[in-house]
Amino acid sequence: MIKSRIVVGVDGSDHAVAAVGWAAAEAARRGTELRVLAAYYRERSTPGSSSTRTAEGHAADNLRRAVAQAHAAAPGIEVKCLALPGYAVPMLVHASEEAAMVVVGSRHEGGLPVLPFGSVSSQVATQARCCVVVVRGHYDPDAGPVVAGVDGGVSSAVLGRAFEEASLHHTELEAVTVGDRRRPDDPLGADLDADLDPWREKYPGVRARREYVDGRADRVLVQRSRAARMVVVGPRTHGYEGLMLGSIGSRLLRRSACPVVVAR
């Protein structure tokens, strides 16, 4: 099954408005459907109580506003919406199974129900089955390069997503490896830039370079985000692949000056 749908979670907050705008623009670039989802609490009610109806109505109002915002940002795209009872994280993780991308705002502690531990953005970023975009900071679609955080193993998921986004946005790509040159086990190959050659062949219109930078990964990527269009990183396992579970990922989600793309 080819997954092309883009899903965005909303709760009526300013952060959700930013996420909807980003997702709508991305849907227009890809020529794909945008699906807007909202979660609401289904509380036990007594006869005559309207608490559930109120929560569902609030979610429906958020969806109507989000659909209008999506059409304003990208007229002509196909937008579908759905309000579901329950928590936002399982709803969005389930939706990720049939989506190419899930988009969330940088904070969701308002009207979107969250599980007791952590924010929607951090939980979805670690659990989703597809690419996740956490929209925060500036998100000017016409300014700055795509920055990819890559380790010595050079994740194909990260570089593939970074090249694809750079191609769609008609911009340059900076692949950054961060570490300590004094450590003998750091990836200091003769030509770090050569790792990009297969992707340059696939995306000949993208100007790309790879750079090795001394320092702490979280600080370097946050600093690079200030002039970037987006920062692309990997999900879990090793090196950058584990960043969403540690201090690097947490700092990036809190401090990045542009959208953070978690590639899969």
Side-chain angles (χ1 to χ4, degrees):
M1 178 182 63
I2 298 177
K3 301 195 296 185
S4 60
R5 175 188 306 153
I6 293 177
V7 170
V8 60
V10 301
D11 64 355
S13 68
D14 290 342
H15 303 284
V17 171
V20 168
W22 199 97
E26 194 72 9
R29 287 188 188 91
R30 295 171 177 272
T32 190
E33 170 195 313
L34 176 65
R35 180 159 295 187
V36 186
L37 301 182
Y40 63 91
Y41 290 109
R42 173 172 282 175
E43 300 176 348
R44 292 182 178 179
S45 59
T46 58
S49 171
S50 60
S51 60
T52 298
R53 187 180 304 112
T54 300
E56 187 174 4
H58 181 66
D61 290 341
N62 289 337
L63 287 177
R64 282 191 288 270
R65 286 192 292 269
V67 170
Q69 292 157 1
H71 282 142
I77 65 170
E78 180 182 2
V79 182
K80 295 182 180 180
C81 60
L82 184 64
L84 295 170
Y87 289 110
V89 173
M91 174 188 71
L92 293 172
V93 170
H94 178 72
S96 73
E97 295 176 1
E98 296 183 353
M101 177 183 295
V102 171
V103 183
V104 293
S106 60
R107 290 175 59 87
H108 281 294
E109 289 83 19
L112 195 61
V114 300
L115 293 173
F117 47 95
S119 68
V120 169
S121 56
S122 62
Q123 290 184 68
V124 173
T126 56
Q127 298 177 36
R129 300 295 185 265
C130 67
C131 170
V132 175
V133 181
V134 179
V135 178
R136 56 163 295 109
H138 66 265
Y139 60 104
D140 185 346
D142 300 314
V146 171
V147 172
V150 294
D151 61 12
V154 190
S155 168
S156 60
V158 171
L159 284 181
R161 173 61 61 178
F163 266 89
E164 181 179 355
E165 292 296 341
S167 177
L168 286 168
H169 288 261
H170 306 289
T171 191
E172 298 179 352
L173 169 62
E174 296 178 2
V176 181
T177 297
V178 186
D180 187 343
R181 289 181 183 273
R182 293 170 298 180
R183 290 175 50 193
D185 58 340
D186 274 336
L188 293 174
D191 187 5
L192 292 172
D193 195 59
D195 293 320
L196 275 61
D197 287 344
W199 297 101
R200 290 189 178 106
E201 293 179 8
K202 185 174 181 179
Y203 297 94
V206 176
R207 293 179 56 188
R209 65 186 180 91
R210 187 172 181 192
E211 183 179 358
Y212 194 97
V213 181
D214 285 332
R216 280 179 40 179
D218 55 351
R219 292 178 179 175
V220 170
L221 292 177
V222 168
Q223 189 277 329
R224 292 298 179 97
S225 75
R226 295 169 186 162
R229 189 172 312 217
M230 66 186 74
V231 176
V232 183
V233 293
R236 28 192 332 177
T237 17
H238 306 290
Y240 279 108
E241 298 285 335
L243 111 136
M244 302 316 297
L245 301 178
S247 61
I248 298 174
S250 298
R251 184 178 176 88
L252 197 58
L253 289 186
R254 290 197 313 268
R255 304 288 182 84
S256 176
C258 68
V260 179
V261 181
V262 184
R264 280 176 176 78

